[in-house]
Amino acid sequence: MALAATSKEADTDSKFRAFYGKTASGPLKLDEASYDELLAGPRNYSAAVLLTAREDRFGCALCREFQPEWELLGKSWVRGDRAGESRVVFGTLDFIDGKGPFQKLQLQTVPILAVFPPTVGPHAKPGAEPYRWSFTDGQGNGEKVHGWVARHIPDGPHPPIVRPVNYLRIVAVTTAVLGAVTLFSVAAPYVLPIVQNRNLWAAITMISVLLFTSGHMYNHIRKVPYVAGDGKNGIAYFAGGFQNQYGLETQIVAAMYGILAFATISLALKVPRMTDPRTQQVAVFVWGAVLLGMYSFLLSVFRMKNGGYPFWLPPF
């Protein structure tokens, strides 16, 4: 009995070594006969088999896209585990090379990655269904699949995927960086004065503040109408209630805020620099009148939106 068991173990181990030795250049290309031989029991090793259909007539774009990732995964695993301590054989079965396994597994879609656990040994699961990765997210990421396979190979090392150096990408990135540095060096004398212009940034800041305080983002989120009818064959420019507004209303409010801001800046910065006292006095009255009139109109808008608003200023 002991001799028979030892003989069976030697046979299954030699079968594993024979298959594993053929995977140095990538997963085994299987047909129906070699697939059955690979999975025949007793088997003290796992088998990770990609069932795919790469020919154009089957219309499986994901099958063709994932194949290079699968080849890389298999090569990286074998190179990192030359002794075969993880006891797993990688293989690929295309539909045109063997339809029987697809029918036996009742596959409706491809690609499917199946991991078959050992039938003998410490991690044996005799008669167990294979674990399946069905690519339901539509992506064939090699690292993701590697992690899934590693979870179902309980023993031995799990070598990571080692991607080849992409020299073309290195050259492209280097060229782009050098081009950007050269462009910056040439354009800097012309661009920096514009970028460092305080008035430009002040204008951009003011425009942004006016846009967002007047409800620009609210309009984009709520998809509000530009204007609406007032029920009297006319146009309503302002929506009733503080929780509603129209697109044109936002522009009017932004314009009012802009005029108020410009008047305030003029009074604070421009008027004090005037050398003629009479002109300065006139400017104070003009800008003061603009502030009073525009703020009065703004308060009247608030009253239009809510009749209970208590504040007002003449003339509106």
Side-chain angles (χ1 to χ4, degrees), residues 3-250:
L3 186 60
T6 304
S7 176
K8 282 185 179 180
E9 185 176 343
D11 288 343
T12 188
D13 191 63
S14 65
K15 185 171 75 167
F16 166 71
R17 292 295 170 189
F19 279 118
Y20 195 74
K22 299 175 183 177
T23 60
S25 59
L28 281 173
K29 189 176 185 301
L30 302 171
D31 55 22
E32 193 164 343
S34 56
Y35 172 88
D36 291 336
E37 184 183 356
L38 175 67
L39 299 180
R43 177 168 45 81
N44 64 355
Y45 58 87
S46 300
V49 180
L50 177 67
L51 297 109
T52 185
R54 286 176 290 167
E55 283 202 359
D56 292 340
R57 56 178 165 160
F58 299 119
C60 180
L62 182 58
C63 296
R64 295 187 291 274
E65 290 171 6
F66 179 65
Q67 190 63 33
E69 293 286 292
W70 177 241
E71 296 284 342
L72 180 63
L73 193 161
K75 288 179 185 177
S76 299
W77 194 294
V78 173
R79 287 174 184 172
D81 182 23
R82 296 186 183 278
E85 296 176 21
S86 56
R87 309 289 295 179
V88 58
V89 176
F90 290 86
T92 304
L93 177 64
D94 200 292
F95 184 73
I96 62 170
D97 296 323
K99 301 178 177 62
F102 288 81
Q103 295 167 352
K104 184 178 179 181
L105 293 172
Q106 299 180 341
L107 299 184
Q108 301 296 320
T109 60
V110 286
I112 294 289
L113 176 58
V115 172
F116 299 85
T119 59
V120 295
H123 303 293
K125 293 185 179 179
E129 286 291 314
Y131 305 109
R132 298 188 186 190
W133 175 275
S134 58
F135 301 90
T136 51
D137 59 355
Q139 296 181 349
N141 180 274
E143 281 73 12
K144 226 185 228 187
V145 175
H146 174 277
W148 179 82
V149 171
R151 285 197 299 273
H152 297 297
I153 308 297
D155 201 12
H158 301 144
I161 291 179
V162 180
R163 296 189 179 275
V165 178
N166 190 338
Y167 293 103
L168 182 61
R169 184 177 181 183
I170 293 174
V171 171
V173 170
T174 304
T175 303
V177 170
L178 292 175
V181 171
T182 304
L183 179 63
F184 178 78
S185 301
V186 173
Y190 308 100
V191 175
L192 284 179
I194 299 174
V195 173
Q196 296 173 345
N197 189 293
R198 295 175 60 186
N199 292 333
L200 173 66
W201 286 107
I204 293 173
T205 303
M206 286 297 300
I207 292 171
S208 300
V209 169
L210 292 174
L211 276 176
F212 293 113
T213 56
S214 62
H216 178 72
M217 289 305 298
Y218 178 93
N219 292 349
H220 277 279
I221 294 170
R222 299 289 291 271
K223 307 295 182 186
V224 301
Y226 190 66
V227 291
D230 61 358
K232 303 175 183 178
N233 296 323
I235 297 175
Y237 299 102
F238 299 96
F242 288 132
Q243 298 300 318
N244 303 304
Q245 66 182 26
Y246 299 137
L248 181 58
E249 175 184 341
T250 299

